[in-house]
Amino acid sequence: MPELVLELNGRTWHLDPSRSYTLGRDPQGDLVLDDARVSWRHATLSWNGRSWVIEDHGSTNGTYARGQRVQSLEVGPGSAVHLGNPTDGPLVSLSAAAQPVAAAGTQAAGAQTAVAQTAAAPARQPPPHHQPPHQREAAPADAAPAPADRNPTTFHQVSLGRVMRIGRALENELVVSDLQVSRLHAEFTATPDGRFEIHDLGSHNGTYVNGERIAKSGTVPIGQGDVVGVGHSAFRLVGDRLEEFVDTGEVSFSARHLTVTVDGGKQILRDVSFGVPEKSLVGVIGPSGSGKSTLLKALTGYRPADEGDVLYDNRNLYRQFAELRQRIGLVPQDDILHKELTVKKALKYAAKLRFPGDTAEAERAARIDEVLRELKLDAHKEKKVSSLSGGQRKRVSVALELLTKPSLIFLDEPTSGLDPGMDRDVMQLLRGLADDGRTVLVVTHSVAELALCDKLLVMAPGGSVAYFGPPEEALNFFGYSTWADVFSAFENYREYDWAGRWRGSQHYQLYAADLDSVAPQAVDMPSVQQVRPPKPQSWGAQLMTLMRRYVSVIASDRGFMILMVALPAVLGVVSLVIPAEFGLGRPDAHHAFNSAAGTITLILAVGMCFSGAANSVRELIKERVIYERERATGLSRSAYLMSKVIVLGLITALQGVIICGIGFSTRPMPKEGLFMPPAAEICLAVIALGLTSMMVGLVISSLVKTAEKTMPLLVMFAIVQVVFTGILFQVFGTPGLEQFAWLMPARWGVAAAGTTLDLSHLMPPFDKDDPTHLDGLWAHEASQWATDVGVQLLLAAVCVFVVARLLRRHEPEVMRK
């Protein structure tokens, strides 16, 4: 076999096929590199019985061959690999030895002896998308699922009867160093009779065949040309080998003939086409009503266009949305992190929700630290998000999206509300993300830093394209000296055919004519079940993570914790102001009734109504943007809702104990209850009322559009409860009014307490000679107490169902049933 020699940093090694070689900063490794860009254990070079293979071990900065990041690559004489940087990272060169090792005499210091036979990796030609848009043909509408213009990152030989397991763990035959991939993800089987199958091993984020997810733990036959998607990697069966494509972020992106029509036939997006090469930063600007938000939803696939195609590296995003959605990051205008948490803790919870359940804590922590270093946030990781500047908070939102290494990042108004200096910092950050190998598209109102973009898309009123091309040529195209003049022209000449002017220009021929040459097609989306994202974590794991995060948020907000205790305490003290000679018990023989018992019960009940609803009335509206984004990445709606119900329920129960504890502390109580001490019975009734009111608060929070609207509704809710308790005036026996009162939680809460106190006979009767005026819900019976409490819990359950339905409105349209 011909000899193979490795050269690195001026030193030479003769490679021994009987062993493997580790490359990295670890002093105990075989090939040690003192370079900060190289990971501790960066890669391994070994002989697999057929050829030499260099395999990246999840390094921070990557391993590169011919400018492309690789995970595993067959190498041989003439091969060259960079570590840590594709251009100037440490260079590993391989060549054939000039003479047999046995005749070499002595070796250079540190040299290793070996022979190996391998074929050099096939030479790669620059992919067509490196050319300017006007120099290449448009891709066909039904382009192959795998990147047709890219050579495989590596390939694996297939032999009949062989089973190759795919996963993140090193014991797999096909190792995919991607935290989106489960440790044991799937198995590729070549049966003895020549058939090929892919079997999902219960993966968390799913296994995809030609863009469609196969059933969890399911098996699907695959044929020649079929593509299996696993995380950021794709495997294509070609002949007797399995070609592997690793999505390292350098992807092209294009939109063709996007049109969105709303009810009434009005088009809010009209025939939008543009194309973006890889590693580009694209700015989108336009006046209000130009369809920028609609365009963003169409480009991300969350609200697909009614006509047209979106191509992600020549793959149809709409048809393969289930798989490709994992490679798209979206940073909304509002922050998508809890401001009460520290930067590191907020990213920790986000990573736990987004990464597979079998991801180790150390793996998540390493990825978080990597992202913090990349965005220069490591100095701020222990600070609360609320204490950061506007630009730094936006960096944290970007960091959250970068956790899963998306290749395509969309940002909606990231510089809104920032001063010019922060505006520039954010745009420079986006420029750096694009230069690092990602495609970035930013919707913005700011025009100060547009020169940093590679391309600029200008939307005209009505949702059509007014310009697409280099930003430095845009003002000359419109014939104005400032963007203020351009926007004024849009406003003053709204009926002008801006799209027609664009299509008749030379810029159109240079930058968009090739895309427009393909006829528009009707959108053919897969089923809702196919596009709904898989849950990276089990339902129970998501629930526990959400509860821990929610408790951390509450614990970090001292103001809320103080109010949580002070509010029920104050309400309990207020009830003590009411003079009551007999407390809540029965009067003596000299008195017929105890009228104060009803008043005290009213104050305690209404106080609990207000306290329970106040706990929850802002909880959903303040997290709406966070919920929308997390729901799109696989968050369970029911787990999210139950985390709120459980944590808020425990807080409300504690508040009920505080209210009753203070309210009963100086009051004489009845001598005995229906089936337990009367104080306990009344306290349980008050807690049940608080839980039901807390759920009503969640309903309010899911209905309103802004947090400012919650407080008037909270006050209105509390006042209505006072009226319909049945204490102030007779509700029982009044047709219509009584039935409406059944919908009021306070009606049943007071009734449950009234059964223990026997309020029907304790309070002055409305007509003591007419037994029909005795309130039946206050009957002094254990069964009536259970009924009153049970109805409250039933109302709470109805509210849970209503909130779950209302939450659907804040999810991507493509996911709704």
Side-chain angles (χ1 to χ4, degrees):
M1 294 183 293
E3 299 170 8
L4 189 66
V5 177
L6 182 148
E7 295 183 9
L8 176 64
N9 288 348
R11 299 179 64 187
T12 303
W13 282 262
H14 290 265
L15 301 184
D16 182 355
S18 65
R19 56 162 298 185
S20 61
Y21 298 83
T22 59
L23 297 83
R25 300 200 323 272
D26 184 0
Q28 303 300 319
D30 301 296
L31 287 77
V32 182
L33 298 94
D34 187 16
D35 191 304
R37 295 168 296 181
V38 178
S39 295
W40 190 258
R41 293 179 62 86
H42 194 102
T44 298
L45 187 64
S46 60
W47 171 258
N48 65 5
R50 180 171 52 87
S51 62
W52 284 92
V53 176
I54 188 168
E55 182 178 356
D56 187 279
H57 284 308
S59 64
T60 300
N61 295 316
T63 303
Y64 299 84
R66 300 173 184 84
Q68 300 292 321
R69 187 166 182 167
V70 298
Q71 294 296 128
S72 179
L73 179 69
E74 296 187 0
V75 294
S79 297
V81 177
H82 284 281
L83 306 178
N85 188 283
T87 55
D88 60 354
L91 178 64
V92 178
S93 300
L94 299 169
S95 61
Q99 57 182 345
V101 175
T106 60
Q107 299 177 356
Q112 306 292 336
T113 305
V115 293
Q117 180 181 13
T118 185
R124 295 180 59 171
Q125 300 299 324
H129 58 260
H130 281 292
Q131 304 169 6
H134 62 281
Q135 294 181 358
R136 65 178 189 268
E137 297 181 357
D142 55 351
D149 55 356
R150 297 185 187 275
N151 287 325
T153 306
T154 187
F155 58 87
H156 311 274
Q157 203 67 29
V158 177
S159 56
L160 297 183
R162 183 182 180 189
V163 176
M164 291 186 291
R165 194 168 52 189
I166 306 171
R168 196 174 74 248
L170 296 179
E171 61 263 27
N172 293 284
E173 287 75 17
L174 304 178
V175 179
V176 180
S177 299
D178 181 357
L179 290 183
Q180 292 288 81
V181 177
S182 299
R183 290 183 58 81
L184 305 176
H185 196 101
E187 282 183 344
F188 177 82
T189 303
T191 62
D193 58 359
R195 293 181 294 106
F196 301 96
E197 296 176 341
I198 187 72
H199 173 63
D200 183 84
L201 296 176
S203 64
H204 294 82
N205 281 326
T207 304
Y208 301 83
V209 175
N210 296 334
E212 293 189 7
R213 187 186 182 192
I214 67 176
K216 196 168 187 177
S217 302
T219 302
V220 173
I222 59 174
Q224 294 294 317
D226 284 344
V227 175
V228 177
V230 175
H232 287 78
S233 296
F235 298 87
R236 179 168 61 184
L237 183 63
V238 178
D240 61 348
R241 71 179 188 178
L242 200 62
E243 297 179 341
E244 181 178 357
F245 300 83
V246 179
D247 187 344
T248 57
E250 299 177 353
V251 299
S252 60
F253 183 75
S254 61
R256 300 185 306 195
H257 300 291
L258 297 183
T259 299
V260 174
T261 305
V262 295
D263 295 339
K266 180 182 178 181
Q267 290 185 341
I268 57 176
L269 201 66
R270 299 181 181 179
D271 202 15
V272 175
S273 298
F274 65 95
V276 185
E278 63 184 34
K279 299 173 66 173
S280 294
L281 173 60
V282 181
V284 180
I285 64 173
S288 298
S290 59
K292 300 188 298 297
S293 297
T294 303
L295 175 63
L296 192 63
K297 292 179 182 179
L299 294 177
T300 56
Y302 292 154
R303 197 293 184 193
D306 300 303
E307 289 186 7
D309 303 302
V310 176
L311 297 184
Y312 175 101
D313 219 25
N314 290 338
R315 301 177 66 182
N316 192 298
L317 176 63
Y318 291 165
R319 296 176 186 171
Q320 301 180 43
F321 182 71
E323 177 186 356
L324 295 180
R325 70 186 309 154
Q326 301 181 34
R327 310 185 190 185
I328 297 175
L330 174 62
V331 181
Q333 180 176 345
D334 297 323
D335 294 326
I336 51 178
L337 289 169
H338 291 86
K339 297 179 181 180
E340 299 86 354
L341 300 179
T342 64
V343 171
K344 189 169 184 179
K345 184 173 288 189
L347 293 178
K348 171 187 172 183
Y349 286 119
K352 193 155 189 178
L353 288 172
R354 295 196 179 195
F355 288 142
D358 60 3
T359 307
E361 184 71 28
E363 292 177 296
R364 290 194 297 267
R367 180 57 188 157
I368 291 171
D369 290 340
E370 181 182 346
V371 170
L372 290 174
R373 286 194 301 270
E374 180 180 358
L375 297 183
K376 298 180 177 59
L377 287 169
D378 43 349
H380 306 286
K381 62 183 179 181
E382 300 302 334
K383 296 180 181 178
K384 285 189 177 183
V385 176
S386 59
S387 68
L388 302 178
S389 66
Q392 290 170 339
R393 286 202 303 271
K394 192 57 63 176
R395 282 179 178 265
V396 177
S397 294
V398 174
L400 186 150
E401 292 300 313
L402 291 185
L403 288 174
T404 55
K405 297 185 178 180
S407 303
L408 186 61
I409 303 177
F410 293 93
L411 300 99
D412 187 12
E413 300 285 357
T415 60
S416 177
L418 302 183
D419 61 48
M422 291 183 180
D423 181 359
R424 180 179 59 191
D425 290 344
V426 171
M427 291 301 292
Q428 288 177 342
L429 165 67
L430 303 183
R431 177 71 265 171
L433 293 178
D435 293 338
D436 286 343
R438 303 175 182 91
T439 302
V440 183
L441 187 144
V442 53
V443 175
T444 180
H445 277 119
S446 174
V447 297
E449 304 296 334
L450 293 180
L452 293 173
C453 299
D454 297 297
K455 293 290 189 295
L456 179 65
L457 175 66
V458 182
M459 300 293 294
S464 58
V465 177
Y467 172 83
F468 178 74
E472 61 270 15
E473 300 176 16
L475 287 175
N476 287 334
F477 172 83
F478 288 107
Y480 293 99
S481 58
T482 67
W483 282 107
D485 293 332
V486 174
F487 278 56
S488 294
F490 284 148
E491 181 64 28
N492 296 332
Y493 305 101
R494 298 186 69 88
E495 302 303 321
Y496 182 74
D497 187 9
W498 296 100
R501 181 178 184 272
W502 155 245
R503 284 192 167 85
S505 68
Q506 182 181 6
H507 285 80
Y508 170 80
Q509 297 298 325
L510 290 174
Y511 302 115
D514 59 336
L515 295 171
D516 264 359
S517 64
V518 180
Q521 298 187 11
V523 175
D524 182 19
M525 287 291 295
S527 66
V528 173
Q529 292 297 331
Q530 279 289 336
V531 300
R532 184 168 293 127
K535 296 179 176 60
Q537 303 272 337
S538 66
W539 189 90
Q542 283 195 2
L543 176 63
M544 294 304 298
T545 300
L546 290 166
M547 289 175 59
R548 283 195 292 267
R549 182 177 70 177
Y550 193 22
V551 170
S552 296
V553 170
I554 293 174
S556 301
D557 189 348
R558 293 183 180 178
F560 180 81
M561 291 187 66
I562 293 174
L563 182 62
M564 179 185 71
V565 176
L567 180 60
V570 170
L571 294 174
V573 170
V574 167
S575 70
L576 296 179
V577 177
I578 303 171
E581 180 182 355
F582 309 106
L584 293 173
R586 287 190 172 276
D588 57 26
H590 301 289
H591 297 82
F593 306 106
N594 182 5
S595 59
T599 307
I600 296 170
T601 304
L602 171 66
I603 296 300
L604 293 177
V606 174
M608 193 68 252
C609 280
F610 184 83
S611 185
N615 289 337
S616 59
V617 75
R618 297 172 64 93
E619 290 307 304
L620 298 183
I621 181 63
K622 75 179 184 181
E623 291 186 356
R624 183 160 295 172
V625 177
I626 298 175
Y627 172 74
E628 289 177 3
R629 185 65 193 121
E630 291 183 341
R631 178 67 176 142
T633 59
L635 178 69
S636 167
R637 182 197 309 153
S638 58
Y640 174 78
L641 179 54
M642 288 308 300
S643 71
K644 298 292 184 186
V645 172
I646 293 173
V647 175
L648 289 174
L650 292 174
I651 292 173
T652 302
L654 175 62
Q655 291 176 327
V657 172
I658 294 174
I659 287 179
C660 293
I662 296 176
F664 299 161
S665 60
T666 62
R667 305 287 191 188
M669 299 295 294
K671 295 181 179 180
E672 59 182 28
L674 296 170
F675 55 91
M676 65 174 69
E681 286 184 7
I682 299 174
C683 187
L684 287 177
V686 170
I687 290 174
L689 175 58
L691 294 176
T692 307
S693 300
M694 180 266 292
M695 288 308 310
V696 173
L698 288 180
V699 172
I700 295 173
S701 190
S702 61
L703 277 173
V704 297
K705 294 184 178 180
T706 61
E708 290 75 15
K709 295 179 180 179
T710 59
M711 297 313 295
L713 292 174
L714 173 62
V715 173
M716 182 182 70
F717 168 73
I719 292 176
V720 170
Q721 300 311 302
V722 174
V723 174
F724 289 97
T725 56
I727 296 291
L728 297 181
F729 62 93
Q730 180 176 330
V731 173
F732 180 74
T734 306
L737 187 63
E738 179 183 6
Q739 286 69 36
F740 181 76
W742 290 347
L743 302 176
M744 302 296 117
R747 170 68 169 143
W748 298 97
V750 169
T755 58
T756 299
L757 299 174
D758 193 13
L759 284 182
S760 289
H761 297 92
L762 189 64
M763 289 177 58
F766 301 108
D767 186 350
K768 61 181 181 180
D769 297 326
D770 185 357
T772 62
H773 285 184
L774 298 179
D775 197 330
L777 301 186
W778 296 354
H780 190 59
E781 300 172 358
S783 60
Q784 186 60 53
W785 185 95
T787 299
D788 294 338
V789 172
V791 171
Q792 290 186 78
L793 299 180
L794 177 61
L795 288 174
V798 171
C799 289
V800 171
F801 175 78
V802 171
V803 173
R805 300 297 293 178
L806 291 173
L807 282 175
R808 291 178 59 251
R809 302 184 307 163
H810 310 297
E811 300 172 2
E813 294 182 41
V814 72
M815 293 171 53
R816 300 177 190 172
K817 294 182 182 179

